[in-house]
Amino acid sequence: MTVFRLGALSAALLASTVVASAEPVFNRIASFPVNTNLPADMDPATETSAEIISATADGMTLVYSDSPLEAIGMIDITDPAAPKPAGVVMLEGEPTAVSVIGAKVLAGVNTSASFTDPSGHLAVIDIASRQIEARCDLGGQPDSVAVSPAGDIVAIAIENERDEDLNDGVIPQMPAGNLVIFSLADGVPDCDSRIVADLTGLAEVAGDDPEPEFVDINANNEIAVTLQENNHIAIVNGADGSIVSHFSAGAVDLDNVDVEEERALTFDGTLKGVAREPDAVQWLDDERLVTANEGDYRGGSRGFTIFSKSGEVLHESGLDFEYRVALAGHYPERRSGNKGVEPEGMEVGTFGESTYVFLLSERGSVIGVYEDTGETPAFKQLLPTALAPEGAVAIPGRNLLAVSNEADLIEDGGVRSHVTIYAYAEGAPAYPMIVSTMDAETGRPVGFGALSGLAADPSEPGRLYAVNDSFYAMQPTIFTIDATQQPARITKATRVTRAGQPAQLLDLEGIVSDGADGFWLASEGRTDRLVPHALYHVDAEGEIRTQVPFPAELLAVERRFGAEGITLIGDTLWIAIQRSWKDDPENTVKLVAYNTETGEWGAVRYPTEPAESGWVGLSEITLHGDHVYIVERDNRIGAAAKIKKLTRVALSELQPAPLGGELPLVTKEDVRDFIPDLTATGGYVVDKIEGFAIDADGVGYAVTDNDGVDDSNGETLFFSIGKM
């Protein structure tokens, strides 16, 4: 068993949380929404999902499996920065994987009637004609498909997956899985050449019920196959199906890991004897293989492992990947008790003289790039992607990488499934845009996420402050940001407290300096959850000194969506209310004023744009010169997003009238459309641009809220718009 602790890892992370180099790097250049590949006669709201992905030999076409659509899709990447839909081929069943060989696509297709009556076939699809030319029976339910480097064999993992609702998913559950091998000629399998490799009796865990998950083939036609639920790995001779070697994937001990879903990023737990339970496997060369240790129902060690083909552990990543994900704000707190970042998919590709491992975090929606050194892999960078990356394909001939992301949240009005494309070229990493640091005392990462409000230090250029919202209800925090670094760096996390304990019943959405050492914070209330609409004055240590509840006149017309930003003009705090309350005319919201000296309340109204769909509201307010600057946005995402902009209102118009009466309507002026900024790194438009501040030198900065990586791809976009 491998024991993994801190020490060297902490030192390495403290020294290298960011890659700064003139070497070639990977940067995202495009995001392709898979739903745009739907046939014209289909409802655009039909669920689609890009799961496993491959590419043609010339690197001009991507091919992906789409399980809910029961199809394979194709994408024209002749111009990789502007991918185009190239259509789908409908199948007679659910595709589980695809692999391109020559002019053909080989797709594993699941046609099972039930868990106990599994079936499937290997479909042969001609790329040019889009026709299914042949089907080879597999005798069971397929999962992964891999073609040998020489193109002379294809291997299919026959999982015969278990019923997770039966006996809590515990195996054995028959029938057992196996490995099927066909010979290939010009990309076409000889169905009569089928070899069924028996994998029973190998694993210590449910050895009579192997469940093969993923396959890869080296230049010697040796097939590496993971038996995920069995926590086992087998190496199979591709010529005859005999077992070359097999071994347990083993277990690790993890210290300083987040194991509780308590709405706080703690990294103070311990896990003992965690089975690796690998999903993806890739050969690094003919002697070494690397696994993504996602875990299934018992394990998941949150990282990756390099093995010799005889089973010797050559490298164990431990928590290196998970910590780097946390430092970039991508840690999925709601998965702490269940497998953390869940590295599931993986690709290995050689670009120039460097071989890279691309490790896909299914739950963190981020990709770790490590360079194979022959010894300890060298971390290179983190890449943003869409939601729930599942598959990847390296295209070294064109210096490209493509990643398929399976989640389609159309049913909830969320983001669609995407394929993201990256270019390998000299330059600097465009992402992450903001990172945190390791705590020098504890050796644990200072995690962050859901940044919901932004403020500038009144005197020091480039110093900003952000707050997190109620996603981290047990850890309300003020983050100090050094925006002069590239990427920006969180240098301090100050917890918001009452009597020295984490303050509860807060939903922090706005922050502004009090002009001394403390801050005023705006908390968006929700009375059905006993969260009050209120303002809080905190000292430099984050201790709440004063709570100012909203007055009765406001609460009489309240709705759920309250304070979203706060700024200070003289002795008066101005609060941006996110959406219309009960007394607001259509397409207006309040800017509420509170005089900190007299205790008087008042308001004006602000005109919002009409919403094409969903709603339009406010996210931030900040003072600069003779104006307040306001973030106005809709709640749409991706192609549906239309309004993400910065406006301003002259201070001369901020003449608050008493609450409960007629309120003056201010005039706004458009300053900036944020949509180009939100797509500048090749991604889709995220919905929540929530923070904006102007520093002591007059430079504007914006930040997005990643919703704590919950039904979100986790991206925190932090950028400057230059001098105002």
Side-chain angles (χ1 to χ4, degrees):
M1 180 183 296
T2 302
V3 179
F4 185 81
R5 294 188 172 89
L6 292 171
L9 170 59
S10 296
L13 288 168
L14 279 166
S16 65
T17 54
V18 183
V19 176
S21 173
E23 304 174 341
V25 297
F26 293 90
N27 276 314
R28 184 177 55 190
I29 58 173
S31 294
F32 176 82
V34 173
N35 63 291
T36 61
N37 228 351
L38 283 167
D41 60 350
M42 278 195 177
D43 182 349
T46 299
E47 181 185 1
T48 63
S49 177
E51 295 177 282
I52 304 302
I53 194 164
S54 188
T56 54
D58 62 3
M60 296 294 180
T61 303
L62 298 174
V63 181
Y64 60 88
S65 61
D66 188 333
S67 171
L69 192 62
E70 296 194 347
I72 64 162
M74 300 187 190
I75 307 171
D76 178 357
I77 57 167
T78 303
D79 179 355
K84 299 177 181 178
V88 299
V89 177
M90 304 303 294
L91 303 173
E92 297 175 359
E94 170 196 2
T96 60
V98 292
S99 190
V100 175
I101 172 68
K104 312 298 180 185
V105 178
L106 304 181
V109 181
N110 177 18
T111 58
S112 300
S114 67
F115 291 108
T116 57
D117 185 18
S119 64
H121 62 261
L122 184 70
V124 182
I125 301 145
D126 182 72
I127 295 173
S129 68
R130 306 292 203 267
Q131 297 297 310
I132 300 173
E133 294 187 333
R135 296 178 181 85
C136 295
D137 182 61
L138 294 173
Q141 173 252 311
D143 197 329
S144 173
V145 175
V147 171
S148 62
D152 56 346
I153 63 170
V154 58
I156 306 96
I158 306 301
E159 183 178 16
N160 291 341
E161 63 183 347
R162 73 191 192 281
D163 181 353
E164 295 185 9
D165 294 326
L166 178 64
N167 194 26
D168 293 327
V170 175
I171 56 175
Q173 290 185 26
M174 299 305 175
N178 54 58
L179 180 71
V180 168
I181 307 163
F182 294 104
S183 62
L184 295 173
D186 297 324
V188 178
D190 176 1
C191 295
D192 293 332
S193 70
R194 185 176 77 176
I195 296 171
V196 178
D198 182 7
L199 302 175
T200 60
L202 304 181
E204 295 178 5
V205 178
D208 56 344
D209 182 21
E211 293 202 13
E213 188 77 22
F214 205 95
V215 290
D216 194 40
I217 309 175
N218 68 13
N220 295 327
N221 278 6
E222 293 173 323
I223 304 164
V225 53
T226 55
L227 314 179
Q228 184 175 30
E229 288 83 351
N230 311 90
N231 196 37
H232 210 77
I233 299 168
I235 310 298
V236 179
N237 186 326
D240 60 13
S242 61
I243 304 300
V244 176
S245 66
H246 68 92
F247 46 91
S248 169
V252 298
D253 290 342
L254 300 173
D255 290 334
N256 289 286
V257 60
D258 197 337
V259 297
E260 299 291 339
E261 296 168 18
E262 78 276 51
R263 308 294 286 274
L265 299 172
T266 51
F267 304 101
D268 58 359
T270 298
L271 295 172
K272 298 295 184 182
V274 182
R276 291 187 173 97
E277 292 186 344
D279 188 317
V281 61
Q282 295 281 316
W283 288 97
L284 285 169
D285 51 38
D286 291 339
E287 301 298 324
R288 298 176 303 141
L289 52 143
V290 56
T291 61
N293 302 328
E294 177 202 24
D296 199 88
Y297 65 104
R298 289 182 176 173
S301 58
R302 308 187 180 210
F304 65 96
T305 308
I306 298 175
F307 294 94
S308 71
K309 69 179 181 183
S310 61
E312 179 186 2
V313 174
L314 303 178
H315 173 75
E316 168 55 47
S317 74
L319 292 170
D320 182 88
F321 180 55
E322 183 153 287
Y323 278 10
R324 294 185 188 278
V325 170
L327 292 174
H330 279 260
Y331 182 79
E333 163 60 13
R334 285 190 171 168
R335 301 294 297 178
S336 291
N338 196 14
K339 292 179 286 186
V341 298
E342 288 192 39
E344 179 180 13
M346 178 186 288
E347 172 69 319
V348 169
T350 299
F351 292 77
E353 297 181 356
S354 297
T355 297
Y356 296 102
V357 176
F358 302 95
L359 187 64
L360 280 56
S361 167
E362 180 185 15
R363 300 295 180 171
S365 292
V366 71
I367 302 156
V369 183
Y370 290 81
E371 184 177 1
D372 178 30
T373 66
E375 297 181 352
T376 300
F379 172 77
K380 305 303 290 185
Q381 61 183 122
L382 285 177
L383 302 177
T385 187
L387 187 57
E390 178 83 3
V393 59
I395 311 173
R398 297 193 66 199
N399 283 328
L400 297 175
L401 171 74
V403 174
S404 49
N405 300 268
E406 67 176 341
D408 187 341
L409 303 184
I410 181 60
E411 191 172 312
D412 299 320
V415 68
R416 306 304 301 265
S417 172
H418 280 71
V419 169
T420 47
I421 302 171
Y422 308 81
Y424 180 68
E426 288 188 4
Y431 193 85
M433 296 178 170
I434 183 170
V435 296
S436 188
T437 55
M438 297 292 288
D439 187 304
E441 294 183 6
T442 65
R444 301 167 185 156
V446 177
F448 72 96
L451 301 183
S452 56
L454 198 62
D457 187 277
S459 59
E460 185 170 342
R463 176 177 285 182
L464 306 175
Y465 306 97
V467 288
N468 57 7
D469 67 21
S470 62
F471 184 88
Y472 302 103
M474 299 302 294
Q475 200 177 54
T477 303
I478 299 169
F479 297 99
T480 303
I481 300 169
D482 181 355
T484 67
Q485 299 194 46
Q486 186 64 32
R489 186 178 292 270
I490 291 172
T491 59
K492 184 180 180 181
T494 303
R495 309 305 182 193
V496 178
T497 57
R498 282 192 183 95
Q501 298 301 311
Q504 298 182 36
L505 299 178
L506 296 179
D507 184 7
L508 300 180
E509 297 285 351
I511 178 173
V512 66
S513 169
D514 66 0
D517 294 328
F519 302 93
W520 281 97
L521 309 178
S523 180
E524 182 179 23
R526 187 160 180 182
T527 54
D528 62 333
R529 296 183 180 176
L530 302 181
V531 179
H533 296 276
L535 310 178
Y536 296 88
H537 192 200
V538 302
D539 62 22
E541 284 71 46
E543 178 71 14
I544 294 174
R545 296 302 180 187
T546 306
Q547 176 176 339
V548 182
F550 276 19
E553 298 94 328
L554 266 182
L555 296 179
V557 295
E558 71 150 328
R559 283 184 174 146
R560 170 183 162 190
F561 302 95
E564 278 286 320
I566 188 170
T567 196
L568 182 63
I569 304 174
D571 293 328
T572 300
L573 292 166
W574 282 88
I575 304 100
I577 302 300
Q578 185 181 65
R579 291 170 60 182
S580 298
W581 281 16
K582 294 174 185 176
D583 62 334
D584 292 318
E586 185 178 13
N587 298 325
T588 67
V589 296
K590 291 185 186 71
L591 302 178
V592 173
Y594 171 71
N595 189 299
T596 59
E597 292 297 316
T598 67
E600 292 178 286
W601 290 84
V604 298
R605 284 198 172 94
Y606 171 99
T608 57
E609 301 297 323
E612 291 186 17
S613 61
W615 52 261
V616 173
L618 308 185
S619 287
E620 182 67 282
I621 182 170
T622 190
L623 171 67
H624 179 64
D626 296 329
H627 295 80
V628 289
Y629 288 77
I630 292 170
V631 174
E632 182 178 345
R633 68 171 180 89
D634 58 24
N635 67 330
R636 303 290 88 178
I637 194 168
K642 305 299 179 186
I643 300 170
K644 316 286 182 189
K645 66 179 180 178
L646 184 68
T647 70
R648 69 180 188 177
V649 173
L651 296 188
S652 59
E653 294 210 31
L654 296 183
Q655 303 297 324
L659 297 171
E662 289 297 318
L663 302 179
L665 183 69
V666 301
T667 303
K668 69 181 180 182
E669 175 187 355
D670 286 355
V671 175
R672 187 180 185 91
D673 180 4
F674 282 125
I675 287 181
D677 299 303
L678 299 176
T679 57
T681 61
Y684 53 78
V685 181
V686 296
D687 57 336
K688 292 187 176 181
I689 180 163
E690 294 237 337
F692 183 77
I694 301 170
D695 78 353
D697 271 353
V699 177
Y701 294 91
V703 70
T704 63
D705 176 352
N706 72 357
D707 277 336
V709 203
D710 186 37
D711 283 345
S712 161
N713 72 340
E715 288 186 46
T716 298
L717 303 181
F718 180 94
F719 54 90
S720 168
I721 64 169
K723 286 267 191 179
M724 301 301 296

